[in-house]
Amino acid sequence: MIKHTKTLKVRVRDRHVPLLNRMARSVNFVWNFVNELSQRSIKERGVFLSAFDMHPYTKGAGKELGLHSQTLQCIAGEYVARRKQFKKVRLNWRKSGGVRRSLGWIPVNTGAAQWKNGQVYHNGHYFKVWDSYGLSQYKFRSGSFNEDARGRWNFNVVVDVQAEIPAGQDRIGIDLGLTDTATCSDGTKLEAGRFYRGLEEKLAIAQRARNKTQVKTIHAKIANRRKDALHKFSRTLVNRCGEIYVGNVSSLKLVKTTMAKSVLDAGWGQLKTMLDYKCAHAGIVFKEVDEAYTTQTCSSCGSLPGSRPKGIAGLGIREWTCSGCGVTHDRDINAARNILAAGHGRLAVGIPVL
C-alpha cells in the first residue's frame, strides 16, 4: 500500500447556485483589486508584491464580501503564482458579467471546508452534494468550488488515499495518432472519433438554431465521453504494466493546422496527463521519448528501407512491407514498438526483433 493525494470532484446541488454566484463575484472583485494593487506597486515603486505582502491590504474584507478569510489568502497566492508563470506585470481582469464572463471559482484552503451532517461545510454554509465517493471517510485538504460552462457547480477537494501497487510487469510503447488515438506495441488500440460520433448532426442543428444551451450540453457530453474512454484506457495500461513509454508528439503545434479538429478530439495531452499521474501514484515508469523516424524504421531489422512511408504523401499508407527483411508492418504498431525500444535507450537504427 502506498499513500498519495487525489482530487475528488462532486456535483453541488443547484439550490446553492445563487449563493455560489455571489461568492464568485466577490472572488472576482478581490482578484481585480490585487491585480491593480500589484500593477501600481510595480509601476510606482518597482516592487513585485508577494502573496504575503498583499494580505494586509485584504485583511478584514472577508466578512463584508461573504468570503472566508483564508479564501482571500488563496486568491493572493494564486494571483502571484500565475503572474510568475506568465511573466506579466498585470494579468487579465476577472469579469463577472457579459458574454466573456469568467467561470466561477472559489478557492478553499486546507481546513476551511469539512464534512458535517452529510454535507460540505464552508464559511458558515452547508452545501449539499451528490456524494459519489463517500466523503465522510476523507480529511479535506485544499480545494475549490468551480463552475462549468453550463452554470453547474462542482466541489473539487484534495484528499489522501491509500492505493495498492499494481503487480503488472508488461512493457508498453504507445504511438499517438488520429486514425487511432493510441496504438500500443502489443496491438491494443483506442479508436479515434468515437467521442463525437452520433452527436455531430445534433450539434450542427443546435448551432444553426443558435441554441446556446443545447450546444453547451452536447459539447459537455462529448467531453465526458472522451474523459471516460481515456480514463478506462489509461487505467487498464497502468494496472498491467511496469513501464510505459509514449511518443512526444505535440498537439499544440498540430492544432494550428487543418487537422485541428481531429487533434483536439483525440485528447493526446489529456491522455499523457492521466498516464503521468497514475503511473506516479502506482510507482511505475512513465516516460516521453523522441518519436523521430519511429514510423519509417523497421522494428524487425532496424533499417530505414526504401519501401517505408515518407512525408505527407505517406500518411495514407497504413501497412507497408520492409524491403530489407520482408516483414509486413501495421504502421502504428510498428511505430509503437520503436517507441518502446527507444524508451529503453536504444537507437532507432539497430533495433532487434521485439
Side-chain angles (χ1 to χ4, degrees), residues 9 11-12 14 17 21 101-104 130 146-154 199 211-225 227:
K9 178 180 180 180
R11 170 87 180 278
V12 181
D14 290 340
V17 169
N21 285 338
R101 75 178 187 90
S102 305
L103 294 181
W130 275 277
N146 298 88
E147 182 187 15
D148 63 18
R150 291 186 287 175
R152 299 179 178 183
W153 282 84
N154 299 284
L199 294 175
N211 188 336
K212 294 183 180 180
T213 301
Q214 186 67 12
V215 169
K216 290 179 180 179
T217 300
I218 295 174
H219 275 302
K221 188 170 185 178
I222 294 173
N224 289 337
R225 282 184 178 182
K227 186 183 297 183

PDB file of all heavy atoms in Angstrom, residues 9 11-12 14 17 21 101-104 130 146-154 199 211-225 227:
ATOM      1  N   LYS A   9     -13.998  15.092  -7.297  1.00  0.00           N
ATOM      2  CA  LYS A   9     -14.914  16.086  -7.849  1.00  0.00           C
ATOM      3  C   LYS A   9     -16.342  15.617  -7.651  1.00  0.00           C
ATOM      4  O   LYS A   9     -16.713  14.532  -8.113  1.00  0.00           O
ATOM      5  CB  LYS A   9     -14.622  16.290  -9.343  1.00  0.00           C
ATOM      6  CG  LYS A   9     -15.549  17.278 -10.041  1.00  0.00           C
ATOM      7  CD  LYS A   9     -15.166  17.395 -11.510  1.00  0.00           C
ATOM      8  CE  LYS A   9     -16.069  18.362 -12.260  1.00  0.00           C
ATOM      9  NZ  LYS A   9     -15.695  18.469 -13.694  1.00  0.00           N
ATOM     10  N   ARG A  11     -20.613  16.961  -7.605  1.00  0.00           N
ATOM     11  CA  ARG A  11     -21.558  17.979  -8.077  1.00  0.00           C
ATOM     12  C   ARG A  11     -22.301  18.606  -6.900  1.00  0.00           C
ATOM     13  O   ARG A  11     -22.785  17.899  -6.007  1.00  0.00           O
ATOM     14  CB  ARG A  11     -22.534  17.329  -9.054  1.00  0.00           C
ATOM     15  CG  ARG A  11     -23.713  18.191  -9.444  1.00  0.00           C
ATOM     16  CD  ARG A  11     -23.420  19.086 -10.618  1.00  0.00           C
ATOM     17  NE  ARG A  11     -24.601  19.877 -10.929  1.00  0.00           N
ATOM     18  CZ  ARG A  11     -25.637  19.446 -11.647  1.00  0.00           C
ATOM     19  NH1 ARG A  11     -25.599  18.228 -12.167  1.00  0.00           N
ATOM     20  NH2 ARG A  11     -26.673  20.213 -11.869  1.00  0.00           N
ATOM     21  N   VAL A  12     -22.401  19.929  -6.894  1.00  0.00           N
ATOM     22  CA  VAL A  12     -23.137  20.664  -5.872  1.00  0.00           C
ATOM     23  C   VAL A  12     -24.579  20.831  -6.340  1.00  0.00           C
ATOM     24  O   VAL A  12     -24.832  21.104  -7.518  1.00  0.00           O
ATOM     25  CB  VAL A  12     -22.494  22.045  -5.620  1.00  0.00           C
ATOM     26  CG1 VAL A  12     -23.263  22.802  -4.538  1.00  0.00           C
ATOM     27  CG2 VAL A  12     -21.036  21.880  -5.213  1.00  0.00           C
ATOM     28  N   ASP A  14     -28.170  22.282  -7.240  1.00  0.00           N
ATOM     29  CA  ASP A  14     -28.467  23.544  -7.925  1.00  0.00           C
ATOM     30  C   ASP A  14     -29.060  24.609  -7.003  1.00  0.00           C
ATOM     31  O   ASP A  14     -29.009  25.795  -7.320  1.00  0.00           O
ATOM     32  CB  ASP A  14     -29.428  23.295  -9.091  1.00  0.00           C
ATOM     33  CG  ASP A  14     -28.767  22.542 -10.236  1.00  0.00           C
ATOM     34  OD1 ASP A  14     -27.525  22.548 -10.293  1.00  0.00           O
ATOM     35  OD2 ASP A  14     -29.489  21.945 -11.062  1.00  0.00           O
ATOM     36  N   VAL A  17     -26.698  27.468  -6.143  1.00  0.00           N
ATOM     37  CA  VAL A  17     -26.107  28.265  -7.220  1.00  0.00           C
ATOM     38  C   VAL A  17     -26.143  29.767  -6.937  1.00  0.00           C
ATOM     39  O   VAL A  17     -25.124  30.461  -7.126  1.00  0.00           O
ATOM     40  CB  VAL A  17     -26.780  27.941  -8.575  1.00  0.00           C
ATOM     41  CG1 VAL A  17     -26.375  28.952  -9.641  1.00  0.00           C
ATOM     42  CG2 VAL A  17     -26.405  26.534  -9.020  1.00  0.00           C
ATOM     43  N   ASN A  21     -22.746  31.944  -6.790  1.00  0.00           N
ATOM     44  CA  ASN A  21     -22.541  33.033  -7.755  1.00  0.00           C
ATOM     45  C   ASN A  21     -22.167  34.337  -7.049  1.00  0.00           C
ATOM     46  O   ASN A  21     -21.312  35.090  -7.529  1.00  0.00           O
ATOM     47  CB  ASN A  21     -23.798  33.238  -8.598  1.00  0.00           C
ATOM     48  CG  ASN A  21     -23.973  32.159  -9.657  1.00  0.00           C
ATOM     49  OD1 ASN A  21     -23.010  31.493 -10.044  1.00  0.00           O
ATOM     50  ND2 ASN A  21     -25.192  31.975 -10.124  1.00  0.00           N
ATOM     51  N   ARG A 101     -17.696  36.531 -19.561  1.00  0.00           N
ATOM     52  CA  ARG A 101     -17.521  36.484 -18.117  1.00  0.00           C
ATOM     53  C   ARG A 101     -16.678  35.280 -17.704  1.00  0.00           C
ATOM     54  O   ARG A 101     -16.679  34.237 -18.376  1.00  0.00           O
ATOM     55  CB  ARG A 101     -18.874  36.426 -17.409  1.00  0.00           C
ATOM     56  CG  ARG A 101     -19.577  35.073 -17.484  1.00  0.00           C
ATOM     57  CD  ARG A 101     -20.885  35.116 -16.719  1.00  0.00           C
ATOM     58  NE  ARG A 101     -21.481  33.785 -16.634  1.00  0.00           N
ATOM     59  CZ  ARG A 101     -21.217  32.935 -15.643  1.00  0.00           C
ATOM     60  NH1 ARG A 101     -20.369  33.275 -14.691  1.00  0.00           N
ATOM     61  NH2 ARG A 101     -21.782  31.744 -15.610  1.00  0.00           N
ATOM     62  N   SER A 102     -15.978  35.433 -16.604  1.00  0.00           N
ATOM     63  CA  SER A 102     -15.131  34.356 -16.092  1.00  0.00           C
ATOM     64  C   SER A 102     -15.988  33.311 -15.388  1.00  0.00           C
ATOM     65  O   SER A 102     -16.939  33.659 -14.667  1.00  0.00           O
ATOM     66  CB  SER A 102     -14.099  34.922 -15.111  1.00  0.00           C
ATOM     67  OG  SER A 102     -13.339  35.959 -15.698  1.00  0.00           O
ATOM     68  N   LEU A 103     -15.671  32.052 -15.584  1.00  0.00           N
ATOM     69  CA  LEU A 103     -16.390  30.999 -14.883  1.00  0.00           C
ATOM     70  C   LEU A 103     -16.097  31.100 -13.388  1.00  0.00           C
ATOM     71  O   LEU A 103     -14.986  31.427 -12.973  1.00  0.00           O
ATOM     72  CB  LEU A 103     -15.976  29.623 -15.410  1.00  0.00           C
ATOM     73  CG  LEU A 103     -16.360  29.315 -16.861  1.00  0.00           C
ATOM     74  CD1 LEU A 103     -15.902  27.917 -17.244  1.00  0.00           C
ATOM     75  CD2 LEU A 103     -17.855  29.447 -17.069  1.00  0.00           C
ATOM     76  N   GLY A 104     -17.110  30.815 -12.584  1.00  0.00           N
ATOM     77  CA  GLY A 104     -16.994  30.962 -11.146  1.00  0.00           C
ATOM     78  C   GLY A 104     -15.896  30.108 -10.533  1.00  0.00           C
ATOM     79  O   GLY A 104     -15.695  28.962 -10.924  1.00  0.00           O
ATOM     80  N   TRP A 130     -23.856  15.636  -4.468  1.00  0.00           N
ATOM     81  CA  TRP A 130     -24.048  14.234  -4.818  1.00  0.00           C
ATOM     82  C   TRP A 130     -22.757  13.499  -4.453  1.00  0.00           C
ATOM     83  O   TRP A 130     -21.763  13.546  -5.185  1.00  0.00           O
ATOM     84  CB  TRP A 130     -24.353  14.098  -6.313  1.00  0.00           C
ATOM     85  CG  TRP A 130     -25.796  14.294  -6.630  1.00  0.00           C
ATOM     86  CD1 TRP A 130     -26.781  13.370  -6.541  1.00  0.00           C
ATOM     87  CD2 TRP A 130     -26.437  15.486  -7.117  1.00  0.00           C
ATOM     88  NE1 TRP A 130     -27.993  13.907  -6.924  1.00  0.00           N
ATOM     89  CE2 TRP A 130     -27.810  15.203  -7.283  1.00  0.00           C
ATOM     90  CE3 TRP A 130     -25.978  16.774  -7.402  1.00  0.00           C
ATOM     91  CZ2 TRP A 130     -28.724  16.142  -7.734  1.00  0.00           C
ATOM     92  CZ3 TRP A 130     -26.879  17.719  -7.845  1.00  0.00           C
ATOM     93  CH2 TRP A 130     -28.242  17.405  -8.011  1.00  0.00           C
ATOM     94  N   ASN A 146     -16.010  25.178  -8.268  1.00  0.00           N
ATOM     95  CA  ASN A 146     -15.792  25.600  -9.653  1.00  0.00           C
ATOM     96  C   ASN A 146     -17.074  25.490 -10.461  1.00  0.00           C
ATOM     97  O   ASN A 146     -17.821  24.521 -10.327  1.00  0.00           O
ATOM     98  CB  ASN A 146     -14.700  24.753 -10.309  1.00  0.00           C
ATOM     99  CG  ASN A 146     -13.364  24.891  -9.627  1.00  0.00           C
ATOM    100  OD1 ASN A 146     -13.066  24.173  -8.680  1.00  0.00           O
ATOM    101  ND2 ASN A 146     -12.555  25.819 -10.092  1.00  0.00           N
ATOM    102  N   GLU A 147     -17.289  26.468 -11.325  1.00  0.00           N
ATOM    103  CA  GLU A 147     -18.452  26.485 -12.210  1.00  0.00           C
ATOM    104  C   GLU A 147     -18.041  26.012 -13.597  1.00  0.00           C
ATOM    105  O   GLU A 147     -16.954  26.340 -14.082  1.00  0.00           O
ATOM    106  CB  GLU A 147     -19.009  27.908 -12.295  1.00  0.00           C
ATOM    107  CG  GLU A 147     -20.260  28.041 -13.147  1.00  0.00           C
ATOM    108  CD  GLU A 147     -20.670  29.488 -13.351  1.00  0.00           C
ATOM    109  OE1 GLU A 147     -19.844  30.386 -13.084  1.00  0.00           O
ATOM    110  OE2 GLU A 147     -21.811  29.737 -13.798  1.00  0.00           O
ATOM    111  N   ASP A 148     -18.909  25.232 -14.245  1.00  0.00           N
ATOM    112  CA  ASP A 148     -18.612  24.808 -15.611  1.00  0.00           C
ATOM    113  C   ASP A 148     -19.363  25.697 -16.601  1.00  0.00           C
ATOM    114  O   ASP A 148     -20.071  26.631 -16.212  1.00  0.00           O
ATOM    115  CB  ASP A 148     -18.946  23.324 -15.822  1.00  0.00           C
ATOM    116  CG  ASP A 148     -20.429  23.020 -15.658  1.00  0.00           C
ATOM    117  OD1 ASP A 148     -21.259  23.947 -15.710  1.00  0.00           O
ATOM    118  OD2 ASP A 148     -20.768  21.833 -15.467  1.00  0.00           O
ATOM    119  N   ALA A 149     -19.207  25.409 -17.887  1.00  0.00           N
ATOM    120  CA  ALA A 149     -19.781  26.261 -18.936  1.00  0.00           C
ATOM    121  C   ALA A 149     -21.308  26.257 -18.921  1.00  0.00           C
ATOM    122  O   ALA A 149     -21.939  27.172 -19.453  1.00  0.00           O
ATOM    123  CB  ALA A 149     -19.287  25.803 -20.306  1.00  0.00           C
ATOM    124  N   ARG A 150     -21.914  25.240 -18.301  1.00  0.00           N
ATOM    125  CA  ARG A 150     -23.376  25.158 -18.246  1.00  0.00           C
ATOM    126  C   ARG A 150     -23.956  25.792 -16.989  1.00  0.00           C
ATOM    127  O   ARG A 150     -25.160  25.696 -16.738  1.00  0.00           O
ATOM    128  CB  ARG A 150     -23.823  23.696 -18.343  1.00  0.00           C
ATOM    129  CG  ARG A 150     -23.581  23.072 -19.692  1.00  0.00           C
ATOM    130  CD  ARG A 150     -24.170  21.680 -19.776  1.00  0.00           C
ATOM    131  NE  ARG A 150     -23.399  20.712 -18.992  1.00  0.00           N
ATOM    132  CZ  ARG A 150     -23.757  19.449 -18.828  1.00  0.00           C
ATOM    133  NH1 ARG A 150     -24.883  19.006 -19.361  1.00  0.00           N
ATOM    134  NH2 ARG A 150     -23.005  18.627 -18.127  1.00  0.00           N
ATOM    135  N   GLY A 151     -23.101  26.428 -16.188  1.00  0.00           N
ATOM    136  CA  GLY A 151     -23.582  27.072 -14.975  1.00  0.00           C
ATOM    137  C   GLY A 151     -23.736  26.140 -13.799  1.00  0.00           C
ATOM    138  O   GLY A 151     -24.316  26.516 -12.773  1.00  0.00           O
ATOM    139  N   ARG A 152     -23.229  24.919 -13.904  1.00  0.00           N
ATOM    140  CA  ARG A 152     -23.296  23.958 -12.810  1.00  0.00           C
ATOM    141  C   ARG A 152     -22.039  24.077 -11.955  1.00  0.00           C
ATOM    142  O   ARG A 152     -20.957  24.330 -12.469  1.00  0.00           O
ATOM    143  CB  ARG A 152     -23.429  22.534 -13.353  1.00  0.00           C
ATOM    144  CG  ARG A 152     -24.688  22.321 -14.192  1.00  0.00           C
ATOM    145  CD  ARG A 152     -24.760  20.903 -14.719  1.00  0.00           C
ATOM    146  NE  ARG A 152     -25.980  20.668 -15.488  1.00  0.00           N
ATOM    147  CZ  ARG A 152     -26.318  19.497 -16.008  1.00  0.00           C
ATOM    148  NH1 ARG A 152     -25.517  18.460 -15.848  1.00  0.00           N
ATOM    149  NH2 ARG A 152     -27.445  19.367 -16.675  1.00  0.00           N
ATOM    150  N   TRP A 153     -22.195  23.847 -10.677  1.00  0.00           N
ATOM    151  CA  TRP A 153     -21.077  23.983  -9.752  1.00  0.00           C
ATOM    152  C   TRP A 153     -20.619  22.626  -9.240  1.00  0.00           C
ATOM    153  O   TRP A 153     -21.424  21.719  -9.022  1.00  0.00           O
ATOM    154  CB  TRP A 153     -21.476  24.866  -8.563  1.00  0.00           C
ATOM    155  CG  TRP A 153     -21.482  26.331  -8.891  1.00  0.00           C
ATOM    156  CD1 TRP A 153     -22.492  27.036  -9.471  1.00  0.00           C
ATOM    157  CD2 TRP A 153     -20.417  27.262  -8.664  1.00  0.00           C
ATOM    158  NE1 TRP A 153     -22.135  28.349  -9.636  1.00  0.00           N
ATOM    159  CE2 TRP A 153     -20.867  28.532  -9.131  1.00  0.00           C
ATOM    160  CE3 TRP A 153     -19.150  27.165  -8.108  1.00  0.00           C
ATOM    161  CZ2 TRP A 153     -20.082  29.670  -9.061  1.00  0.00           C
ATOM    162  CZ3 TRP A 153     -18.364  28.310  -8.036  1.00  0.00           C
ATOM    163  CH2 TRP A 153     -18.829  29.543  -8.511  1.00  0.00           C
ATOM    164  N   ASN A 154     -19.296  22.516  -9.067  1.00  0.00           N
ATOM    165  CA  ASN A 154     -18.693  21.294  -8.528  1.00  0.00           C
ATOM    166  C   ASN A 154     -17.763  21.662  -7.381  1.00  0.00           C
ATOM    167  O   ASN A 154     -17.182  22.760  -7.355  1.00  0.00           O
ATOM    168  CB  ASN A 154     -17.896  20.555  -9.611  1.00  0.00           C
ATOM    169  CG  ASN A 154     -18.755  20.115 -10.768  1.00  0.00           C
ATOM    170  OD1 ASN A 154     -19.498  19.147 -10.689  1.00  0.00           O
ATOM    171  ND2 ASN A 154     -18.658  20.841 -11.881  1.00  0.00           N
ATOM    172  N   LEU A 199     -23.206  12.541 -32.550  1.00  0.00           N
ATOM    173  CA  LEU A 199     -23.609  13.826 -31.992  1.00  0.00           C
ATOM    174  C   LEU A 199     -23.310  14.995 -32.931  1.00  0.00           C
ATOM    175  O   LEU A 199     -23.734  16.117 -32.662  1.00  0.00           O
ATOM    176  CB  LEU A 199     -22.906  14.064 -30.645  1.00  0.00           C
ATOM    177  CG  LEU A 199     -23.287  13.125 -29.505  1.00  0.00           C
ATOM    178  CD1 LEU A 199     -22.424  13.395 -28.284  1.00  0.00           C
ATOM    179  CD2 LEU A 199     -24.763  13.284 -29.155  1.00  0.00           C
ATOM    180  N   ASN A 211     -29.015  27.703 -30.499  1.00  0.00           N
ATOM    181  CA  ASN A 211     -29.476  27.245 -29.190  1.00  0.00           C
ATOM    182  C   ASN A 211     -28.245  27.017 -28.315  1.00  0.00           C
ATOM    183  O   ASN A 211     -27.675  25.926 -28.281  1.00  0.00           O
ATOM    184  CB  ASN A 211     -30.280  25.948 -29.342  1.00  0.00           C
ATOM    185  CG  ASN A 211     -30.953  25.524 -28.046  1.00  0.00           C
ATOM    186  OD1 ASN A 211     -30.522  25.892 -26.958  1.00  0.00           O
ATOM    187  ND2 ASN A 211     -32.012  24.732 -28.165  1.00  0.00           N
ATOM    188  N   LYS A 212     -27.824  28.062 -27.602  1.00  0.00           N
ATOM    189  CA  LYS A 212     -26.573  28.003 -26.851  1.00  0.00           C
ATOM    190  C   LYS A 212     -26.606  26.959 -25.746  1.00  0.00           C
ATOM    191  O   LYS A 212     -25.610  26.283 -25.478  1.00  0.00           O
ATOM    192  CB  LYS A 212     -26.265  29.377 -26.269  1.00  0.00           C
ATOM    193  CG  LYS A 212     -25.973  30.441 -27.316  1.00  0.00           C
ATOM    194  CD  LYS A 212     -25.603  31.768 -26.667  1.00  0.00           C
ATOM    195  CE  LYS A 212     -25.311  32.824 -27.732  1.00  0.00           C
ATOM    196  NZ  LYS A 212     -24.947  34.137 -27.118  1.00  0.00           N
ATOM    197  N   THR A 213     -27.760  26.804 -25.107  1.00  0.00           N
ATOM    198  CA  THR A 213     -27.869  25.829 -24.025  1.00  0.00           C
ATOM    199  C   THR A 213     -27.662  24.417 -24.547  1.00  0.00           C
ATOM    200  O   THR A 213     -26.933  23.610 -23.942  1.00  0.00           O
ATOM    201  CB  THR A 213     -29.246  25.937 -23.351  1.00  0.00           C
ATOM    202  OG1 THR A 213     -29.415  27.256 -22.833  1.00  0.00           O
ATOM    203  CG2 THR A 213     -29.365  24.930 -22.211  1.00  0.00           C
ATOM    204  N   GLN A 214     -28.291  24.098 -25.679  1.00  0.00           N
ATOM    205  CA  GLN A 214     -28.143  22.764 -26.262  1.00  0.00           C
ATOM    206  C   GLN A 214     -26.722  22.530 -26.762  1.00  0.00           C
ATOM    207  O   GLN A 214     -26.180  21.429 -26.623  1.00  0.00           O
ATOM    208  CB  GLN A 214     -29.136  22.595 -27.416  1.00  0.00           C
ATOM    209  CG  GLN A 214     -29.186  21.192 -28.007  1.00  0.00           C
ATOM    210  CD  GLN A 214     -29.745  20.165 -27.045  1.00  0.00           C
ATOM    211  OE1 GLN A 214     -30.290  20.528 -26.014  1.00  0.00           O
ATOM    212  NE2 GLN A 214     -29.600  18.904 -27.372  1.00  0.00           N
ATOM    213  N   VAL A 215     -26.103  23.559 -27.321  1.00  0.00           N
ATOM    214  CA  VAL A 215     -24.721  23.432 -27.795  1.00  0.00           C
ATOM    215  C   VAL A 215     -23.789  23.101 -26.640  1.00  0.00           C
ATOM    216  O   VAL A 215     -22.934  22.210 -26.737  1.00  0.00           O
ATOM    217  CB  VAL A 215     -24.271  24.728 -28.499  1.00  0.00           C
ATOM    218  CG1 VAL A 215     -22.762  24.697 -28.758  1.00  0.00           C
ATOM    219  CG2 VAL A 215     -25.015  24.905 -29.816  1.00  0.00           C
ATOM    220  N   LYS A 216     -23.945  23.819 -25.519  1.00  0.00           N
ATOM    221  CA  LYS A 216     -23.101  23.561 -24.354  1.00  0.00           C
ATOM    222  C   LYS A 216     -23.325  22.150 -23.808  1.00  0.00           C
ATOM    223  O   LYS A 216     -22.387  21.479 -23.382  1.00  0.00           O
ATOM    224  CB  LYS A 216     -23.391  24.591 -23.263  1.00  0.00           C
ATOM    225  CG  LYS A 216     -22.919  25.991 -23.604  1.00  0.00           C
ATOM    226  CD  LYS A 216     -23.263  26.976 -22.495  1.00  0.00           C
ATOM    227  CE  LYS A 216     -22.796  28.388 -22.845  1.00  0.00           C
ATOM    228  NZ  LYS A 216     -23.157  29.363 -21.770  1.00  0.00           N
ATOM    229  N   THR A 217     -24.574  21.693 -23.831  1.00  0.00           N
ATOM    230  CA  THR A 217     -24.892  20.354 -23.339  1.00  0.00           C
ATOM    231  C   THR A 217     -24.233  19.281 -24.194  1.00  0.00           C
ATOM    232  O   THR A 217     -23.663  18.310 -23.668  1.00  0.00           O
ATOM    233  CB  THR A 217     -26.414  20.144 -23.318  1.00  0.00           C
ATOM    234  OG1 THR A 217     -27.018  21.114 -22.457  1.00  0.00           O
ATOM    235  CG2 THR A 217     -26.764  18.749 -22.821  1.00  0.00           C
ATOM    236  N   ILE A 218     -24.292  19.445 -25.507  1.00  0.00           N
ATOM    237  CA  ILE A 218     -23.691  18.451 -26.412  1.00  0.00           C
ATOM    238  C   ILE A 218     -22.177  18.451 -26.269  1.00  0.00           C
ATOM    239  O   ILE A 218     -21.539  17.385 -26.234  1.00  0.00           O
ATOM    240  CB  ILE A 218     -24.111  18.734 -27.868  1.00  0.00           C
ATOM    241  CG1 ILE A 218     -25.624  18.539 -28.027  1.00  0.00           C
ATOM    242  CG2 ILE A 218     -23.363  17.818 -28.831  1.00  0.00           C
ATOM    243  CD1 ILE A 218     -26.153  18.931 -29.396  1.00  0.00           C
ATOM    244  N   HIS A 219     -21.566  19.635 -26.185  1.00  0.00           N
ATOM    245  CA  HIS A 219     -20.118  19.707 -26.004  1.00  0.00           C
ATOM    246  C   HIS A 219     -19.706  19.039 -24.688  1.00  0.00           C
ATOM    247  O   HIS A 219     -18.682  18.348 -24.623  1.00  0.00           O
ATOM    248  CB  HIS A 219     -19.652  21.164 -26.017  1.00  0.00           C
ATOM    249  CG  HIS A 219     -19.405  21.709 -27.391  1.00  0.00           C
ATOM    250  ND1 HIS A 219     -18.504  21.141 -28.266  1.00  0.00           N
ATOM    251  CD2 HIS A 219     -19.951  22.782 -28.042  1.00  0.00           C
ATOM    252  CE1 HIS A 219     -18.496  21.832 -29.395  1.00  0.00           C
ATOM    253  NE2 HIS A 219     -19.354  22.828 -29.286  1.00  0.00           N
ATOM    254  N   ALA A 220     -20.495  19.233 -23.633  1.00  0.00           N
ATOM    255  CA  ALA A 220     -20.200  18.599 -22.346  1.00  0.00           C
ATOM    256  C   ALA A 220     -20.301  17.084 -22.450  1.00  0.00           C
ATOM    257  O   ALA A 220     -19.489  16.352 -21.859  1.00  0.00           O
ATOM    258  CB  ALA A 220     -21.156  19.118 -21.275  1.00  0.00           C
ATOM    259  N   LYS A 221     -21.266  16.591 -23.208  1.00  0.00           N
ATOM    260  CA  LYS A 221     -21.426  15.147 -23.380  1.00  0.00           C
ATOM    261  C   LYS A 221     -20.235  14.563 -24.128  1.00  0.00           C
ATOM    262  O   LYS A 221     -19.729  13.487 -23.779  1.00  0.00           O
ATOM    263  CB  LYS A 221     -22.725  14.856 -24.136  1.00  0.00           C
ATOM    264  CG  LYS A 221     -23.085  13.378 -24.187  1.00  0.00           C
ATOM    265  CD  LYS A 221     -24.486  13.164 -24.734  1.00  0.00           C
ATOM    266  CE  LYS A 221     -24.881  11.692 -24.656  1.00  0.00           C
ATOM    267  NZ  LYS A 221     -26.279  11.465 -25.134  1.00  0.00           N
ATOM    268  N   ILE A 222     -19.771  15.265 -25.161  1.00  0.00           N
ATOM    269  CA  ILE A 222     -18.595  14.811 -25.908  1.00  0.00           C
ATOM    270  C   ILE A 222     -17.367  14.777 -25.000  1.00  0.00           C
ATOM    271  O   ILE A 222     -16.587  13.819 -25.005  1.00  0.00           O
ATOM    272  CB  ILE A 222     -18.348  15.729 -27.122  1.00  0.00           C
ATOM    273  CG1 ILE A 222     -19.490  15.601 -28.129  1.00  0.00           C
ATOM    274  CG2 ILE A 222     -17.014  15.396 -27.787  1.00  0.00           C
ATOM    275  CD1 ILE A 222     -19.417  16.595 -29.270  1.00  0.00           C
ATOM    276  N   ALA A 223     -17.192  15.835 -24.203  1.00  0.00           N
ATOM    277  CA  ALA A 223     -16.049  15.889 -23.286  1.00  0.00           C
ATOM    278  C   ALA A 223     -16.106  14.773 -22.261  1.00  0.00           C
ATOM    279  O   ALA A 223     -15.079  14.166 -21.931  1.00  0.00           O
ATOM    280  CB  ALA A 223     -16.023  17.251 -22.592  1.00  0.00           C
ATOM    281  N   ASN A 224     -17.311  14.471 -21.765  1.00  0.00           N
ATOM    282  CA  ASN A 224     -17.452  13.383 -20.789  1.00  0.00           C
ATOM    283  C   ASN A 224     -17.144  12.030 -21.418  1.00  0.00           C
ATOM    284  O   ASN A 224     -16.550  11.161 -20.780  1.00  0.00           O
ATOM    285  CB  ASN A 224     -18.859  13.392 -20.205  1.00  0.00           C
ATOM    286  CG  ASN A 224     -19.102  14.566 -19.282  1.00  0.00           C
ATOM    287  OD1 ASN A 224     -18.162  15.135 -18.734  1.00  0.00           O
ATOM    288  ND2 ASN A 224     -20.357  14.947 -19.110  1.00  0.00           N
ATOM    289  N   ARG A 225     -17.575  11.832 -22.666  1.00  0.00           N
ATOM    290  CA  ARG A 225     -17.263  10.581 -23.373  1.00  0.00           C
ATOM    291  C   ARG A 225     -15.749  10.414 -23.521  1.00  0.00           C
ATOM    292  O   ARG A 225     -15.190   9.340 -23.299  1.00  0.00           O
ATOM    293  CB  ARG A 225     -17.911  10.587 -24.760  1.00  0.00           C
ATOM    294  CG  ARG A 225     -19.382  10.279 -24.787  1.00  0.00           C
ATOM    295  CD  ARG A 225     -19.853  10.212 -26.242  1.00  0.00           C
ATOM    296  NE  ARG A 225     -21.255   9.880 -26.369  1.00  0.00           N
ATOM    297  CZ  ARG A 225     -21.873   9.723 -27.537  1.00  0.00           C
ATOM    298  NH1 ARG A 225     -21.187   9.889 -28.671  1.00  0.00           N
ATOM    299  NH2 ARG A 225     -23.156   9.422 -27.588  1.00  0.00           N
ATOM    300  N   LYS A 227     -13.316  11.844 -21.752  1.00  0.00           N
ATOM    301  CA  LYS A 227     -12.667  11.636 -20.459  1.00  0.00           C
ATOM    302  C   LYS A 227     -12.875  10.208 -19.953  1.00  0.00           C
ATOM    303  O   LYS A 227     -11.950   9.580 -19.421  1.00  0.00           O
ATOM    304  CB  LYS A 227     -13.219  12.645 -19.441  1.00  0.00           C
ATOM    305  CG  LYS A 227     -12.509  12.619 -18.096  1.00  0.00           C
ATOM    306  CD  LYS A 227     -13.137  13.587 -17.112  1.00  0.00           C
ATOM    307  CE  LYS A 227     -13.008  15.011 -17.585  1.00  0.00           C
ATOM    308  NZ  LYS A 227     -13.563  15.971 -16.579  1.00  0.00           N
TER     309      LYS A 227
END
